[in-house]
């Protein structure tokens, strides 16, 4: 059931989005049911008396369990890669309007790397050098993507020096991934020695091919140049040296706004015309603080005198 569902899902790569993710969910349910059945049969086999027949049956069940685990992990990595591709395009899960952050993509790549590491430890597959070489290539690709998005997360908080160093590391990981992909292509792909078709046993997922690596290399080069420029501007601002071309619109500052610097140019702007709009209050605000210094006379005796004569106070009004 697991292999049939996987083949059906792998052959359908049209623009389905959420339908593909739903198919993956059904596939994982089928894999879990098959694994539960195999584990139950293994427990029943171990309770029986040990014999050559029971030993062969147990070995066959262990091989089947490893194959099912491989299929489940392999398609789990592919599902995460599909989800990563959708998030990079700005398409989140169904019903979600939240845009993915670089940290979200880093966490998904961590999950992909953990899945690939678990695949390496499966008995019956770790002896296959072709498959292990393919897993090494897939891990190198995931590490390069992860390093790029870690750098993007540092750039989002204006840590340009750290981001530049991480872009350099991503470029080095890209070179390593390209070399491993070339080695895997030279070997003709991962050949399955356990009787399963190669497409179901191994194979690369979305974003793990040479075209995706080329696009990532281009993005890394551009981001590296951008981070280097931002880091240089940040160092100038920290030293108190604003660059001459610091106008918000990208043009040179007029002379009246940089009287401490003069650069002789053919078309030297002296004054910005029309002038920029500046917010002003609707009416002037006057603060009368002179009354704080006034000493008022003591009116206490007059108040007492008025209280003593009602008629006098009446006529004094």
């Amino acid at each position: 059931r697991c292999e049939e569902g996987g083949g059906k899902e792998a052959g359908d790569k049209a623009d389905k989005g959420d339908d593909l993710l739903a198919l993956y969910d059904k596939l994982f349910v089928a894999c879990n049911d098959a694994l539960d059945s195999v584990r139950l049969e293994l427990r029943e086999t171990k309770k029986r008396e040990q014999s050559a027949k029971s030993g062969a049956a147990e070995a066959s069940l262990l091989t089947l369990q490893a194959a099912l685990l491989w299929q489940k992990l392999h398609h789990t990595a592919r599902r995460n890669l599909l989800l990563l591709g959708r998030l990079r395009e700005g398409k989140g899960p169904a019903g979600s309007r939240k845009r993915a952050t670089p940290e979200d993509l880093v966490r998904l790549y961590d999950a992909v790397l953990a899945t690939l590491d678990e695949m390496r430890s499966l008995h019956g597959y770790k002896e296959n050098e072709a498959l292990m070489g393919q897993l090494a290539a897939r891990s190198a690709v995931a590490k390069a993507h992860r390093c790029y998005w870690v750098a993007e997360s540092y750039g989002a908080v204006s840590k340009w020096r750290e981001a530049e160093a991480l872009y350099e590391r991503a470029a080095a990981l890209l070179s390593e991934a390209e070399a491993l992909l070339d080695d895997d292509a030279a070997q003709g792909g991962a050949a399955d020695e356990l009787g399963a078709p190669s497409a179901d046993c191994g194979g690369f997922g979305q974003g793990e091919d040479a075209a995706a690596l080329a696009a990532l290399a281009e993005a890394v080069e551009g981001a590296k140049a951008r981070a280097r420029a931002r880091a240089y501007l940040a160092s100038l601002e920290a030293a108190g040296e604003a660059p001459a071309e610091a106008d918000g619109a990208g043009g040179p500052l007029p002379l009246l706004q940089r009287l401490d610097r003069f650069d002789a140019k053919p078309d030297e702007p002296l004054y910005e015309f029309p002038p920029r709009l500046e917010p002003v209050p609707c009416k002037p605000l006057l603060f009368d603080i002179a009354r704080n210094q006034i000493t008022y006379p003591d009116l206490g005796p007059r108040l007492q005198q008025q209280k003593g004569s009602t008629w006098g106070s009446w006529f004094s009004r």
Side-chain angles (χ1 to χ4, degrees), residues 130-131 134 183-192 198 204:
L131 285 179
Q134 188 182 92
D183 293 343
D184 180 74
Q187 293 177 3
D192 183 20
S198 176
F204 295 94

Side-chain angles (χ1 to χ4, degrees), residues 28-251:
F28 296 144
V29 171
C31 287
N32 290 331
D33 292 342
L35 283 169
D36 291 339
S37 300
V38 172
R39 292 188 183 110
L40 179 61
E41 189 66 25
L42 271 173
R43 286 195 295 267
E44 295 295 333
T45 302
K46 291 180 180 180
K47 292 179 181 179
R48 300 168 188 167
E49 295 182 1
Q50 296 296 327
S51 62
K53 186 176 180 180
S54 62
E58 184 177 355
S60 299
L61 288 173
L62 289 174
T63 302
L64 179 58
Q65 183 182 19
L68 289 171
L69 283 173
W70 176 276
Q71 290 290 327
K72 180 181 177 181
L73 293 172
H74 171 64
H75 290 292
T76 299
R78 283 194 167 189
R79 178 188 181 276
N80 288 334
L81 290 172
L82 174 64
L83 185 57
L84 279 164
R86 288 172 55 81
L87 292 179
R88 285 195 299 266
E89 296 172 0
K91 301 176 183 178
S96 175
R97 297 182 179 180
K98 181 181 177 181
R99 189 175 183 85
T101 62
E103 290 81 3
D104 297 333
L105 298 175
V106 170
R107 283 191 290 269
L108 275 176
Y109 276 113
D110 286 335
V112 171
L113 288 170
T115 302
L116 296 177
D117 288 340
E118 192 173 353
M119 292 172 70
R120 285 200 189 104
S121 62
L122 286 179
H123 179 71
Y125 287 86
K126 58 185 179 182
E127 295 82 5
N128 191 323
E129 295 182 0
L131 285 179
M132 293 302 104
Q134 188 182 92
L135 287 179
R138 296 179 68 184
S139 296
V141 172
K143 287 178 181 177
H145 281 280
R146 180 187 181 279
C147 190
Y148 170 77
W149 287 108
V150 171
E152 288 287 301
S153 66
Y154 273 94
V157 293
S158 300
K159 293 185 178 180
W160 301 112
R161 291 297 182 188
E162 294 84 349
E164 183 182 359
L166 287 168
Y167 287 132
E168 293 284 353
R169 176 60 178 162
L173 290 173
L174 269 173
S175 301
E176 179 183 350
E178 289 173 353
L180 290 172
L181 284 176
D182 292 340
D183 293 343
D184 180 74
Q187 293 177 3
D192 183 20
E193 298 177 356
L194 300 178
S198 176
D200 289 336
C201 185
F204 295 94
Q206 180 177 349
E208 293 182 327
D209 53 355
L213 283 185
L216 180 61
E218 183 178 355
V220 167
E221 288 300 321
K224 185 165 56 175
R226 182 175 65 250
R228 186 179 295 114
R230 293 293 183 90
Y232 176 71
L233 290 176
S235 64
L236 289 181
E237 293 176 359
E241 300 177 1
E245 305 290 334
D247 186 38

